[in-house]
Amino acid sequence: MKFLTINGAFSLMLCATIVPDVLVHGSPQSSYLVLDQEQPSKKCGYSKWHSLLQVDCSNRGLDKIPQKLNSNIQAMYMASNRLRDLPSDSFAPYKSLAYLYLDDNFIGEIDESMEYPEYLQVLDLSKNGLHDVPSSVFDLPSLKKIYLSKNKLKDGTFDINVTSPIELIDLAENSLTKIPSVGLQPSLLYLNVSYNKISHVTTEDLAQFCSLQTLDLTNNPLAFDPTNCECYHFASWISERKIKLMPGVPCNNDTFEACGKLGFSNETTTSFERCLDVIKVRAAQLKARSTWITVVSCISAFLVCLVVGLYCVHKRNKKRSKKLKTQQKLTASNANTELLNGNLPETPP
């Protein structure tokens, strides 16, 4: 009996040695292996879309921006990681970066002295924990689209003068109580401020966006004062500018009938005209730049043709000169031969 017990224990130990660790329930090593299999790979993947070099580092469990990626990448996907802050040199190695997606992280702060890529066009910081955004972000010379939805931003963040050529701003699901005051924005086409706490919108708020095409005010506690035709002015502005409004104009027909002959305020008109003037100035600058480019191109083409022409003339003259020298040498040689033949004595018969 004792022999059988010892033999059984030996067999069990042998099985534990042979069977893989992941099958031995409760062993510390098996738990480690299973956990290791569930961890996402931290290796980023490269791909090309047309000529755009992009890198996908999404869902890799990263807590900082990798610094040894291909320096020529133009698009970076860093969504669903563990980023908490962005040091100033986070993107220093990537000078060509134009599309940056940092959504669904834990970013609560961005360094004021951040070195942004010069050619950055799209910046996605949605689904983070931002209470503020450095004003330098809105001075990027090429930035066209910025996504800041589902953060903790308040009105004070946008008491700035945006100089970037912004076309789209997404501020849904923040803590705004009014339309952002960001100065004249002649390039802005789309503004999303849905799911905020905005209760009041005036034509003065919208006049700074003279090219606006879409305005999303969904799920805001809008409450227009019925005694001063605010809703009428707002609805008239939306209609005249052909702006797509979501979820629709919150005015009734009685309001339109009572305020039908009232115009917009001087402040609204002045702001809108100033915005249009910026568009005209930019168009004039673009035209002047195009004209100069055309003039410089024509002058460059003329100079190239002139240089090529002079080179061809020089080459032809050189060829003629060489040919003339050859003929002169041949003539001189023939003359010397004739002279030599003339000086020879005649042979007696």
Side-chain angles (χ1 to χ4, degrees), residues 22-42:
V22 291
L23 298 180
V24 180
H25 298 290
S27 72
Q29 191 172 2
S30 68
S31 300
Y32 172 78
L33 289 174
V34 172
L35 180 62
D36 210 31
Q37 291 171 358
E38 292 176 351
Q39 288 182 344
S41 171
K42 291 192 176 184

Side-chain angles (χ1 to χ4, degrees), residues 87-95 111-118 140:
S88 61
D89 59 348
S90 295
F91 306 103
Y94 312 117
K95 306 296 184 183
D111 197 306
E112 286 282 351
S113 58
M114 171 72 72
E115 299 176 22
Y116 299 98
E118 182 180 357
L140 296 174

Side-chain angles (χ1 to χ4, degrees), residues 258-269:
C259 306
K261 295 183 180 180
L262 295 177
F264 302 115
S265 67
N266 291 334
E267 184 179 349
T268 298
T269 304

Side-chain angles (χ1 to χ4, degrees), residues 114-176:
M114 171 72 72
E115 299 176 22
Y116 299 98
E118 182 180 357
Y119 304 105
L120 192 64
Q121 297 181 30
V122 177
L123 176 60
D124 190 347
L125 287 164
S126 57
K127 297 182 183 180
N128 278 285
L130 292 168
H131 291 271
D132 195 11
V133 178
S135 58
S136 55
V137 171
F138 301 100
D139 292 331
L140 296 174
S142 302
L143 187 65
K144 294 183 178 180
K145 298 180 180 180
I146 184 165
Y147 299 88
L148 294 167
S149 62
K150 297 184 179 180
N151 279 283
K152 302 176 182 179
L153 302 174
K154 297 183 178 181
D155 298 326
T157 302
F158 302 100
D159 289 333
I160 56 176
N161 184 29
V162 175
T163 62
S164 300
I166 295 285
E167 297 178 359
L168 180 151
I169 302 178
D170 186 357
L171 295 169
E173 299 188 47
N174 279 281
S175 299
L176 304 178

Side-chain angles (χ1 to χ4, degrees), residues 51-304:
S51 60
L52 190 74
L53 178 61
Q54 50 191 11
V55 61
D56 187 1
C57 298
S58 300
N59 195 28
R60 300 297 200 277
L62 301 173
D63 57 5
K64 60 182 179 180
I65 304 297
Q67 297 294 295
K68 295 184 179 181
L69 300 173
N70 189 321
S71 60
N72 296 318
I73 56 174
Q74 296 163 283
M76 178 187 288
Y77 298 88
M78 287 288 297
S80 304
N81 279 290
R82 300 174 183 172
L83 303 177
R84 295 188 177 277
D85 53 24
L86 295 177
S88 61
D89 59 348
S90 295
F91 306 103
Y94 312 117
K95 306 296 184 183
S96 301
L97 202 59
Y99 305 89
L100 180 57
Y101 299 91
L102 302 169
D103 50 303
D104 197 12
N105 277 281
F106 303 95
I107 302 172
E109 185 179 0
I110 300 176
D111 197 306
E112 286 282 351
S113 58
M114 171 72 72
E115 299 176 22
Y116 299 98
E118 182 180 357
Y119 304 105
L120 192 64
Q121 297 181 30
V122 177
L123 176 60
D124 190 347
L125 287 164
S126 57
K127 297 182 183 180
N128 278 285
L130 292 168
H131 291 271
D132 195 11
V133 178
S135 58
S136 55
V137 171
F138 301 100
D139 292 331
L140 296 174
S142 302
L143 187 65
K144 294 183 178 180
K145 298 180 180 180
I146 184 165
Y147 299 88
L148 294 167
S149 62
K150 297 184 179 180
N151 279 283
K152 302 176 182 179
L153 302 174
K154 297 183 178 181
D155 298 326
T157 302
F158 302 100
D159 289 333
I160 56 176
N161 184 29
V162 175
T163 62
S164 300
I166 295 285
E167 297 178 359
L168 180 151
I169 302 178
D170 186 357
L171 295 169
E173 299 188 47
N174 279 281
S175 299
L176 304 178
T177 63
K178 64 178 183 178
I179 298 294
S181 177
V182 290
L184 301 177
Q185 297 304 315
S187 303
L188 188 65
L189 304 176
Y190 181 94
L191 176 62
N192 184 358
V193 288
S194 61
Y195 294 88
N196 277 280
K197 303 174 182 178
I198 300 173
S199 60
H200 194 242
V201 181
T202 67
T203 54
E204 287 84 356
D205 295 329
L206 302 180
Q208 58 186 326
F209 313 130
C210 53
S211 299
L212 190 63
Q213 296 178 358
T214 303
L215 174 62
D216 193 344
L217 289 167
T218 302
N219 203 26
N220 276 284
L222 295 175
F224 291 97
D225 187 349
T227 63
N228 59 9
C229 298
E230 281 183 347
C231 195
Y232 166 77
H233 287 142
F234 173 76
S236 298
W237 186 268
I238 295 296
S239 177
E240 289 188 17
R241 303 292 165 245
K242 298 180 180 179
I243 299 172
K244 180 182 178 182
L245 178 67
M246 294 177 281
V249 179
C251 304
N252 55 46
N253 293 331
D254 295 338
T255 303
F256 282 86
E257 292 176 3
C259 306
K261 295 183 180 180
L262 295 177
F264 302 115
S265 67
N266 291 334
E267 184 179 349
T268 298
T269 304
T270 301
S271 181
F272 183 73
E273 289 177 350
R274 286 175 56 209
C275 184
L276 291 178
D277 288 340
V278 174
I279 294 178
K280 292 177 182 177
V281 169
R282 289 183 180 179
Q285 290 175 342
L286 183 61
K287 184 178 180 180
R289 190 180 305 159
S290 300
T291 301
W292 274 109
I293 291 175
T294 302
V295 171
V296 170
S297 299
C298 291
I299 293 175
S300 300
F302 171 76
L303 291 176
V304 169

